[in-house]
Amino acid sequence: LGNVDKIVLHIQSPGGSVYAGYNTYHVIKSAGVPVEAIIEGECQSIATFISLAADKVIARNPSVYMIHNPYTLLEGDASAMENGASELRKIEDIMISAYQTKTKLSEDQIRAMMGKETSMTAIEAQKFGFVDEVIDPLRAVAIGLTKFKMEDKLSAFGRSEEHTSE
């Protein structure tokens, strides 16, 4: 990254692999500079865990923040199913602990929210403590006072016009 004072991480994600999320979390945590995460539209599933790596979490309004129990598709015998369930419980406990650290909600509250797949607005996520700040969307503003001739731009259309951009 070179010499930077801060990293701004833009998150717009429906989630994905738990282990890829863990890896991303660790990369962000080891950046060595403050990290600000900006949620833009959606931050769901493992993407919420990634957001926890940031020093500050901002959500644009409207955005969705969704937490749920981890899941996987399994095949195999009873031992494979038992091992898979055990692994999922460990992942669940790791996520609950991380959410608790960020939000100060109790383990039971978070476990209940994850168990019912809780989808929150940006404002609700802020009230629960997952998000530090909610901001309204940016408005694109273009101001131009330069006159230019469009004949070079529109010569393919056989037209010549003078325009002022506003």
Side-chain angles (χ1 to χ4, degrees):
L1 293 174
N3 188 18
V4 296
D5 296 328
K6 175 173 88 170
I7 295 172
V8 178
L9 171 67
H10 296 265
I11 299 175
Q12 192 287 315
S13 175
S17 163
V18 168
Y19 297 111
Y22 283 177
N23 184 55
T24 305
Y25 175 93
H26 293 303
V27 168
I28 294 165
K29 277 297 206 188
S30 64
V33 295
V35 177
E36 181 177 278
I38 302 176
I39 297 167
E40 298 176 326
E42 68 177 323
C43 183
Q44 302 188 72
S45 193
I46 198 63
T48 62
F49 187 81
I50 292 168
S51 76
L52 300 176
D55 300 293
K56 182 175 184 181
V57 180
I58 298 168
R60 292 198 189 281
N61 189 27
S63 288
V64 173
Y65 195 95
M66 186 274 290
I67 63 173
H68 65 91
N69 284 333
Y71 64 88
T72 189
L73 301 175
L74 290 174
E75 286 185 12
D77 61 12
S79 292
M81 298 297 164
E82 289 164 354
N83 291 337
S86 176
E87 182 179 1
L88 287 173
R89 293 288 181 219
K90 288 176 186 174
I91 293 168
E92 187 178 315
D93 290 343
I94 289 167
M95 294 181 81
I96 288 169
S97 177
Y99 290 143
Q100 275 186 277
T101 299
K102 174 69 177 171
T103 65
K104 309 300 187 240
L105 295 173
S106 73
E107 178 181 340
D108 290 340
Q109 288 173 299
I110 294 171
R111 194 174 295 281
M113 292 173 80
M114 289 174 64
K116 67 178 186 174
E117 188 173 294
T118 302
S119 184
M120 297 165 263
T121 65
I123 293 166
E124 290 168 333
Q126 182 184 30
K127 286 179 184 174
F128 283 115
F130 294 99
V131 168
D132 300 306
E133 181 181 345
V134 175
I135 58 174
D136 288 326
L138 295 176
R139 294 187 191 130
V141 177
I143 299 174
L145 300 175
T146 306
K147 281 191 171 189
F148 59 93
K149 291 203 177 210
M150 291 293 289
E151 65 186 17
D152 295 333
K153 310 273 188 259
L154 299 175
S155 62
F157 299 106
R159 298 181 357 200
S160 176
E161 301 175 21
E162 187 173 296
H163 294 274
T164 301
S165 62
E166 300 182 40

